Amino acid sequence: MNNHPNETAAVAASAPASGTALHIADVVKRYGEREVLKQISLDIAPGEFVAIVGRSGCGKSTLLRLIAALESYQSGVLHYDGDASDSRHDTRIMFQDSRLLPWKRVLDNVALGLPRDAKDNAQRVLGEVGLADRGREWPTRLSGGQRQRVALARALVHKPRLLLLDEPLGALDALTRIEMHTLIERLWREHGFTALLVTHDVGEAIALADRVVLIDEGRITLDLRIDLPRPRARGSAAFAALEERVLAEVLKQHGGVPAANPQQPGEEPGDHSLRRTVDQVRWAV
Amino acid sequence: MSQVSPKNRFSNRALPWLVPITLLVVWQLAANLGWLSVRVLPAPYNIAKAAWALAASGELWTHLVVSSRRALTGFAIGGGAGLLLGLATGSFRKIETLLDTTLQMLRNIPPLALIPLIILWFGIDETAKVFLVSIGVFFPVYLNTFHGIRSVDPALIEMAKSYGLSGWSLYRDVILPGALANILVGVRFALGFMWVLLIVAETISATEGIGYMTMNAREFLLTDIVLVGILLYALLGKLADVAARALERAWLRWHPNYQPGA
Ligand SMILES: Nc1ncnc2c1ncn2[C@@H]1O[C@H](COP(=O)(O)OP(=O)(O)O)[C@@H](O)[C@H]1O
Ligand SMILES: [Mg+2]
């Protein structure tokens, strides 16, 4: 996979103005008796890149599926640019399994849901993810990383203003993941959408996100701003310190020590944690 | 790319034919040496001669056309109904609730058990034969279509919906292609069953068709023609199977199992 994309100029011209502003307040989601999300509140600025981390089963996917309107919720508020529904259908979701239609060729998968005359558009976006010459292929013939890039192209071709990524790289090998990080970061910068990435890889979260949000047992227990300059070098001490900090929080016993940064209602999210983080980083270095 | 040597490819092609050809030779020799009575089993050469004579007189083609028409008419009616009902019960819970129990009960009746009833209803003319074939092919197509629709990956349906597909476009792009492999399994099964039912129907009573030809020959103790009829049925069955496989290859090109080199 060394056919890396290089069509930045073409993209910048067609990039949408900005991303969706997301406002989530006191959202509660129950499956039967089980309360999976307990009063989640989260504000995401337009164009922001937020990573959600947490143990398996803590409700990350559920939160993403609520935002994608694939799931209903019991109470709370979910606003897209101040609207109660994503009325312009500007949200696209990408899953861990690429969910490509095996009976459609790669290009037709990218063009799914587009009008018939949008093939050129699909072809262009396929080029953006570095697969311009694979459009005629069947998806089963692609590698896992290539399939995820097709899925990414399929999402991007709709010019989403909010892109939801549910562990999209979870099944990929380490090298492919790093390639995908570069690709996702570049596309995010060029397109300007708001990105919400669920991942179980703390390093991935810190490499990509403006903010890392930790969910534990259906609550947000950490909301950490990552102010490292991009592109981020994983080797740096600041990076390692942040990674350490998030991991320590993830590994903290449930019910024991109170969570470091339970978000207060009305409080500007992120600010508080920012100051703490900087202190800690300084201390760590 | 793995390269198969021409010699290897030849032996791969030829090998499956080794046993049938040996059997044929042994059979012919046995007949020539007088070990087999012509009444019991005529020699392959005689059978070929009989087939040639029938073909030359045009009789063979008349029977072939009549039998094929019956089979295909029955298949079109029964298979078409099975497909439509399978799509309906697979896609709509209401229709499933309404019809599926009934169909599951009817499915337990072997089509051949219906023959006396069919004769009572339709006599012994064309309708009876076509009806028997239709009933027989209906269930394999129906059951596999229903199952195919139900086993379409819900994750794909969810994805398609979130990409704005609904109604007919969801059906055309996701549900039908997802069910197609199963539907074709039903079609292949039905095509095989189609000939079995037709043989039975034509053997019971007919004034034309391959079944008539063989039963008629039996009365005159023309064992060679009886064998021509049997071989003809075998050939038609094989043809139906080849057709079904061709459909699978054409429509399931995307499927790893049906891709060349797989
Ligand atoms: N459709 C469902 N019905 C019942 N329980 C569910 C459903 N989906 C998820 N859950 C439960 O909700 C919890 C959170 O799931 P999920 O959001 O998928 O976790 P993760 O953080 O690993 O993505 C899990 O305990 C899971 O069992
Ligand atoms: Mg999950």
Side-chain angles (χ1 to χ4, degrees):
Chain A
M1 287 202 309
N2 44 15
N3 42 355
H4 247 300
N6 224 336
E7 295 164 33
T8 321
V11 182
S14 62
S18 73
T20 306
L22 205 57
H23 171 67
I24 303 168
D26 300 324
V27 162
V28 173
K29 168 70 185 174
R30 273 188 296 269
Y31 285 117
E33 293 288 284
R34 256 180 67 80
E35 202 167 64
V36 177
L37 298 179
K38 302 164 183 166
Q39 302 220 322
I40 291 272
S41 297
L42 188 62
D43 275 284
I44 298 175
E48 199 172 19
F49 199 131
V50 175
I52 300 176
V53 295
R55 293 157 181 268
S56 179
C58 70
K60 306 182 296 290
S61 295
T62 305
L63 178 61
L64 225 58
R65 294 169 56 78
L66 290 192
I67 297 170
L70 293 174
E71 207 89 57
S72 61
Y73 49 99
Q74 273 70 34
S75 68
V77 173
L78 188 49
H79 279 174
Y80 310 80
D81 288 332
D83 278 338
S85 74
D86 173 30
S87 48
R88 287 189 289 171
H89 299 290
D90 279 339
T91 303
R92 285 292 176 270
I93 185 164
M94 197 179 147
F95 306 91
Q96 174 168 357
D97 46 333
S98 55
R99 300 202 186 176
L100 301 179
L101 297 174
W103 44 83
K104 280 186 176 287
R105 294 182 192 269
V106 165
L107 186 63
D108 296 319
N109 262 289
V110 175
L112 187 74
L114 292 178
R116 267 180 205 289
D117 54 5
K119 280 278 163 65
D120 289 349
N121 203 8
Q123 179 60 45
R124 187 179 49 73
V125 180
L126 202 53
E128 281 184 52
V129 300
L131 293 174
D133 53 343
R134 307 303 292 273
R136 296 286 303 154
E137 209 99 49
W138 297 113
T140 43
R141 288 292 174 98
L142 301 182
S143 71
Q146 290 169 333
R147 280 205 280 269
Q148 285 305 64
R149 284 195 271 159
V150 175
L152 186 59
R154 179 179 63 188
L156 289 181
V157 79
H158 292 264
K159 299 196 196 311
R161 299 178 60 248
L162 173 59
L163 184 62
L164 307 170
L165 306 127
D166 192 356
E167 303 201 32
L169 314 181
L172 304 183
D173 62 89
L175 276 177
T176 312
R177 291 172 78 113
I178 291 174
E179 277 187 343
M180 288 291 287
H181 291 164
T182 319
L183 178 66
I184 290 174
E185 187 177 28
R186 205 196 73 226
L187 292 171
W188 165 68
R189 271 217 298 250
E190 288 165 5
H191 288 252
F193 49 79
T194 306
L196 201 51
L197 167 75
V198 165
T199 175
H200 55 244
D201 178 349
V202 174
E204 180 171 297
I206 294 172
L208 290 174
D210 297 320
R211 265 164 74 199
V212 174
V213 170
L214 173 63
I215 297 186
D216 187 29
E217 300 213 308
R219 291 178 208 283
I220 292 179
T221 54
L222 178 71
D223 189 337
L224 187 65
R225 189 163 290 279
I226 311 293
D227 275 339
L228 303 176
R230 294 172 188 269
R232 291 169 179 165
R234 278 164 180 262
S236 80
F239 194 107
L242 284 168
E243 200 167 355
E244 191 107 337
R245 169 147 157 63
V246 176
L247 272 175
E249 200 70 41
V250 173
L251 296 174
K252 207 176 263 178
Q253 286 293 316
H254 302 143
V257 196
N261 270 306
Q263 204 185 323
Q264 301 302 316
E267 183 188 16
E268 201 60 42
D271 275 1
H272 214 65
S273 48
L274 174 64
R275 226 167 300 132
R276 273 169 156 270
T277 315
V278 173
D279 285 349
Q280 287 221 343
V281 171
R282 208 169 285 145
W283 175 82
V285 204
Chain B
M1 289 289 272
S2 69
Q3 203 69 50
V4 185
S5 79
K7 195 175 157 198
N8 235 335
R9 192 168 339 157
F10 175 76
S11 75
N12 274 348
R13 287 255 181 107
L15 210 54
W17 294 100
L18 186 64
V19 173
I21 289 174
T22 312
L23 278 178
L24 219 58
V25 170
V26 171
W27 178 5
Q28 180 71 47
L29 282 177
N32 284 358
L33 293 173
W35 295 348
L36 286 173
S37 150
V38 177
R39 187 83 27 99
V40 175
L41 202 59
Y45 174 71
N46 296 51
I47 297 170
K49 222 166 62 179
W52 178 255
L54 283 169
S57 73
E59 203 183 331
L60 188 70
W61 309 116
T62 321
H63 293 312
L64 200 61
V65 166
V66 168
S67 287
S68 304
R69 198 181 54 219
R70 283 172 189 150
L72 294 179
T73 312
F75 179 77
I77 296 173
L83 181 69
L84 288 180
L85 272 177
L87 291 177
T89 49
S91 312
F92 304 102
R93 293 273 167 195
K94 277 259 162 59
I95 301 185
E96 186 200 351
T97 321
L98 182 70
L99 294 179
D100 197 54
T101 313
T102 316
L103 289 169
Q104 294 295 342
M105 284 191 312
L106 290 177
R107 168 175 97 105
N108 291 316
I109 305 171
L112 294 180
L114 290 174
I115 289 175
L117 195 62
I118 291 175
I119 293 177
L120 277 176
W121 287 348
F122 301 109
I124 51 172
D125 68 353
E126 283 310 289
T127 324
K129 296 177 190 66
V130 170
F131 187 80
L132 185 65
V133 173
S134 307
I135 292 285
V137 301
F138 172 84
F139 284 102
V141 175
Y142 168 77
L143 291 171
N144 283 285
T145 304
F146 174 78
H147 179 244
I149 297 268
R150 280 300 156 84
S151 54
V152 176
D153 185 356
L156 288 183
I157 296 178
E158 183 186 75
M159 180 281 301
K161 281 182 177 165
S162 83
Y163 276 78
L165 270 66
S166 61
W168 168 239
S169 65
L170 182 68
Y171 217 76
R172 183 196 55 204
D173 288 343
V174 183
I175 296 176
L176 272 183
L180 199 55
N182 271 308
I183 295 177
L184 287 179
V185 167
V187 165
R188 204 157 114 196
F189 195 88
L191 281 174
F193 206 38
M194 169 182 91
W195 289 113
V196 174
L197 290 165
L198 190 72
I199 293 167
V200 174
E202 288 190 340
T203 308
I204 291 168
S205 76
T207 52
E208 286 178 300
I210 301 166
Y212 164 77
M213 189 183 82
T214 50
M215 289 315 279
N216 204 35
R218 182 196 53 107
E219 277 184 33
F220 296 101
L221 302 176
L222 299 169
T223 316
D224 49 355
I225 295 185
V226 171
L227 276 160
V228 170
I230 291 171
L231 290 176
L232 220 49
Y233 275 133
L235 201 69
L236 288 169
K238 178 72 188 167
L239 216 62
D241 200 53
V242 166
R245 277 170 196 277
L247 273 187
E248 284 178 346
R249 265 201 308 278
W251 286 348
L252 303 178
R253 260 175 315 167
W254 50 271
H255 204 292
N257 291 356
Y258 297 94
Q259 275 168 11

